[in-house]
Amino acid sequence: MPTIIEVNELAKDYNGHSAVKGISFTVERGEIFGFLGPNGAGKTTTISMLCTLLRPTSGSATVGGYDIIKNRLAVRQSIGLVFQDPSLDERLTALENLKFHGMIYGIPRAERSRRIDEVLELVELSGRRHDMVRTFSGGMKRRLEIARGLMHRPRVLFLDEPTLGLDPQTRHHIWDYINQLRVDEGLTIFLTTHYMDEAEHCARIAIIDDGELIAIDTPEKLKAQVGGDVIVLITDDNARAATEIQEKFDVEAKEVNGELSLQVEAGEHFMPALIKGLESNVTSISLRKPTLEDVFLNLTGRKIREEKLAGMDQVRSRVRSKRRQQR
Amino acid sequence: MKAALMGIYTLWLRDITRFVRDKPRIISSSVQPLLWLFVLGLGLSTAFVRGGGDNNYMRFIYPGIISMSVLFTSIFSAVSIIWDREFGFLKEVLVAPIPRWSVAIGRALGGSTVAVLQGTIILIVAPLVGVSFTFSQLALAFLIMFMIAFSMTSFGILIAARMHTHEGFQVVVNFILLPMFFLSGAMFPVGEGLPSWMQALVRINPLSYGVDALRQTLVGIKINPIWLDLSVVAGFGAFALMMAVWYFEKHE
């Protein structure tokens, strides 16, 4: 498959702090490529550089064959973007938002109205075309933004946390669109997320942490790195239990957020032996297949999405929507 | 180039669409200058006559009030860039395949058109103030209004481009907008009687020249030759727009 995005030692510093530390990767045409990492890992910074919104401190990249520094207008013409935060004009109708977008992207009038109908149909907002965007729910706004991002037939669609703050049903819905688009239009999709289950939809995933790429592969291969099964248990004294497991079973147990997690082959046989052999008192125990969370934990020793952060996200989006109402 | 022109037109159309739709805003921003004109104008005209003014005070401030309306609308609509930034729409514009300078010019033209429309509302009440003018005076007045509007919107964009939160907005009103208005000669004559520091401030205020141009066109009271007035306003507008474009290209 031909390459559509090529990134070479791309780096960005903010006043001496480096947000992205010289990353390199390629994205192939027609694939769903995911950027996975915790908040503040450098996902949005990377996307902003690829979309020509931010100038890289060093390194280079091409999108659709165009250089992101030398040929910014051509890059912008060939990409569609859905931002983490809404970027619609809420004081205009859905139709007007799309119309102005089409005008700015130089779509001729007749073609414009045809495509507006088409994308509104796709995201099932045809019936609300004459309504003000400020009356839309979060999910509807995101859908309208996806419609807008697709209107000028981009070659790459960038989605920055496309389902952040949306309810599960809407998330599911949006993923249906994304998959359909890839199949129907041969579109390349580049998305960032910190939801593990979403990353599973991607053909390939790049895991980014603290501005560095620490792994890049298919979700299956990444999970295969973990090997076997994952057992998660909580005991009265996790530290003591961890030493005990190390001594008796020769298995390393990592403690994260009050839980011990260990990776073993044939977990269903190991688990009874573990409970029997352990002197520490086990409060709870569970067995599961490895997830991308385990991959991240393996690579960094941390969980990708600490519980506190999840709470902060909610507060943040709540504050934002409140401000919007007060406007 | 075609993309840039289309970008300018689109951003202009967006401003006009929003303006025409927002009827409460049109009404409320017309009421204030009309209050200044009729209440303050009538109230102070007695003092003005006693002070030796040979002309009618309302006639005197009439062009000043038009300038005020244009000035405030211009700055407010330029500063709405801060809202666009806060609510994300600015990003949509900045990733569009149009050059940054066309974004700045589109906003400047949109804001100035809206400001001229607001000024026109005040122009309509001319008969009530006892001002009448010929068609060519009217055409010239529109040109001057547009020049004031365009230079003040550009100036506003320059301020907004440097400002990242709406908290700074009140600062702009208190430290730029009101001093600029008070020291423009819109409300009182700025000749001999003023202390020299104030006269100096009036002289460096680009709005003074806009007010003077509008006043000599509509009611025939003048300080400077019209060519000087128009050159200063145009020069300031060009300078502010260039700075705004430069800042936009560099920082956004």
Side-chain angles (χ1 to χ4, degrees):
Chain A
M1 276 237 224
T3 302
I4 192 144
I5 300 177
E6 195 168 349
V7 178
N8 205 344
E9 290 297 318
L10 200 64
K12 179 71 191 177
D13 292 353
Y14 291 111
N15 311 323
H17 161 78
S18 44
V20 174
K21 299 170 180 166
I23 58 174
S24 305
F25 61 91
T26 57
V27 178
E28 277 155 21
R29 195 155 86 205
E31 79 173 333
I32 300 185
F33 184 85
F35 238 40
L36 179 68
N39 286 324
K43 289 173 295 181
T44 302
T45 306
T46 308
I47 270 207
S48 300
M49 287 192 283
L50 294 180
C51 297
T52 76
L53 269 176
L54 263 184
R55 215 173 251 276
T57 311
S58 65
S60 64
T62 59
V63 175
Y66 302 110
D67 191 289
I68 59 159
I69 300 163
K70 295 186 198 110
N71 214 340
R72 300 203 288 172
L73 293 187
V75 170
R76 289 188 211 152
Q77 183 77 51
S78 52
I79 60 173
L81 251 169
V82 177
F83 300 101
Q84 196 168 328
D85 303 316
S87 63
L88 297 158
D89 189 331
E90 305 209 340
R91 309 235 152 185
L92 295 176
T93 65
L95 184 68
E96 285 162 347
N97 267 287
L98 295 178
K99 181 179 135 193
F100 289 155
H101 181 85
M103 286 170 69
I104 292 187
Y105 282 77
I107 306 171
R109 185 191 294 260
E111 179 69 10
R112 198 161 66 215
S113 54
R114 211 175 53 75
R115 287 200 202 166
I116 289 176
D117 290 344
E118 190 184 297
V119 292
L120 278 176
E121 195 65 40
L122 175 73
V123 298
E124 295 165 42
L125 285 173
S126 302
R128 303 290 304 265
R129 59 171 63 207
H130 294 299
D131 293 350
M132 290 284 169
V133 171
R134 65 163 178 273
T135 65
F136 282 19
S137 70
M140 287 163 67
K141 281 181 199 164
R142 199 59 60 87
R143 269 148 58 199
L144 182 60
E145 284 197 72
I146 292 177
R148 189 180 65 180
L150 290 170
M151 226 183 107
H152 56 283
R153 302 262 159 86
R155 299 173 66 193
V156 186
L157 181 64
F158 286 92
L159 301 165
D160 194 6
E161 303 275 357
T163 60
L164 186 73
L166 299 183
D167 60 88
Q169 200 191 343
T170 314
R171 278 172 69 182
H172 189 78
H173 219 63
I174 284 178
W175 268 104
D176 281 349
Y177 295 136
I178 295 174
N179 280 316
Q180 195 190 335
L181 288 169
R182 193 188 65 83
V183 177
D184 294 355
E185 319 251 329
L187 190 67
T188 308
I189 289 151
F190 185 120
L191 65 97
T192 72
T193 185
H194 59 248
Y195 292 122
M196 293 299 151
D197 51 333
E198 278 191 2
E200 304 267 358
H201 289 274
C202 303
R204 285 193 308 141
I205 297 169
I207 297 183
I208 184 168
D209 184 42
D210 197 22
E212 283 174 294
L213 268 191
I214 51 177
I216 177 166
D217 217 324
T218 64
E220 292 71 32
K221 285 195 185 143
L222 286 172
K223 283 185 286 186
Q225 286 181 3
V226 176
D229 299 312
V230 177
I231 291 176
V232 177
L233 71 163
I234 300 172
T235 64
D236 289 346
D237 185 349
N238 282 344
R240 217 187 77 205
T243 354
E244 211 187 325
I245 294 169
Q246 183 75 52
E247 282 165 5
K248 287 186 180 159
F249 301 95
D250 195 23
V251 172
E252 191 195 351
K254 287 184 188 138
E255 183 176 3
V256 179
N257 295 351
E259 292 176 342
L260 284 175
S261 133
L262 31 151
Q263 293 157 9
V264 293
E265 299 293 336
E268 60 273 27
H269 297 298
F270 184 80
M271 204 155 77
L274 178 69
I275 298 172
K276 205 176 279 174
L278 216 56
E279 278 167 32
S280 316
N281 190 21
V282 177
T283 346
S284 89
I285 188 161
S286 63
L287 170 72
R288 57 180 171 76
K289 292 287 164 203
T291 62
L292 289 167
E293 182 82 64
D294 301 312
V295 176
F296 189 80
L297 182 64
N298 248 16
L299 291 166
T300 66
R302 283 179 291 115
K303 280 202 174 187
I304 205 163
R305 202 171 144 81
E306 307 289 343
E307 294 311 313
K308 259 189 202 153
L309 266 181
M312 273 311 289
D313 265 357
Q314 280 173 1
V315 170
R316 213 173 52 168
S317 78
R318 223 176 285 144
V319 167
R320 216 177 267 141
S321 69
K322 209 168 197 180
R323 264 199 228 155
R324 204 161 286 129
Q325 283 163 6
Q326 285 167 354
R327 186 189 180 193
Chain B
M1 194 59 205
K2 198 176 155 235
L5 289 178
M6 199 61 191
I8 293 174
Y9 172 62
T10 309
L11 287 164
W12 176 83
L13 191 61
R14 170 183 178 244
D15 271 350
I16 305 305
T17 309
R18 286 177 53 141
F19 173 74
V20 172
R21 178 166 303 150
D22 204 352
K23 305 226 163 44
R25 180 182 132 194
I26 301 178
I27 293 167
S28 79
S29 47
S30 309
V31 165
Q32 205 195 3
L34 290 174
L35 273 175
W36 280 80
L37 181 60
F38 288 106
V39 179
L40 204 70
L42 275 176
L44 285 179
S45 54
T46 46
F48 194 72
V49 170
R50 229 172 272 162
D54 50 351
N55 225 317
N56 178 324
Y57 182 62
M58 265 173 77
R59 267 173 67 87
F60 178 83
I61 62 165
Y62 180 60
I65 297 297
I66 295 176
S67 308
M68 173 183 105
S69 190
V70 171
L71 168 74
F72 278 50
T73 316
S74 298
I75 300 280
F76 285 169
S77 74
V79 169
S80 73
I81 285 186
I82 299 168
W83 293 110
D84 281 351
R85 184 183 288 121
E86 186 130 342
F87 291 96
F89 184 77
L90 190 64
K91 255 193 192 170
E92 146 82 354
V93 175
L94 293 179
V95 292
I98 51 171
R100 295 276 192 274
W101 58 264
S102 69
V103 175
I105 292 180
R107 292 302 308 245
L109 284 175
S112 18
T113 309
V114 168
V116 169
L117 290 175
Q118 285 284 4
T120 308
I121 294 174
I122 314 301
L123 213 48
I124 292 171
V125 301
L128 297 178
V129 194
V131 175
S132 60
F133 31 71
T134 63
F135 180 77
S136 58
Q137 276 177 302
L138 187 65
L140 188 57
F142 267 108
L143 176 73
I144 297 165
M145 267 171 21
F146 182 77
M147 286 174 70
I148 298 175
F150 191 76
S151 62
M152 291 305 150
T153 315
S154 303
F155 181 53
I157 291 173
L158 178 62
I159 299 168
R162 307 183 57 115
M163 222 163 71
H164 284 258
T165 57
H166 60 268
E167 278 89 10
F169 184 69
Q170 205 53 43
V171 179
V172 173
V173 172
N174 289 335
F175 283 87
I176 297 176
L177 209 52
L178 291 179
M180 221 171 170
F181 169 57
F182 290 150
L183 292 167
S184 69
M187 302 302 292
F188 48 82
V190 286
E192 304 299 300
L194 292 184
S196 56
W197 63 267
M198 213 159 145
Q199 280 192 40
L201 286 176
V202 170
R203 217 161 290 140
I204 60 164
N205 180 359
L207 188 66
S208 314
Y209 299 86
V211 171
D212 186 54
L214 206 55
R215 184 169 287 139
Q216 58 180 290
T217 305
L218 291 178
V219 297
I221 305 169
K222 66 187 268 186
I223 302 170
N224 306 310
I226 187 99
W227 62 265
L228 177 67
D229 285 339
L230 295 185
S231 318
V232 171
V233 176
F236 177 73
F239 172 73
L241 183 67
M242 261 160 30
M243 290 293 289
V245 166
W246 174 78
Y247 202 84
F248 236 66
E249 296 261 3
K250 191 159 165 272
H251 292 273
E252 293 291 347

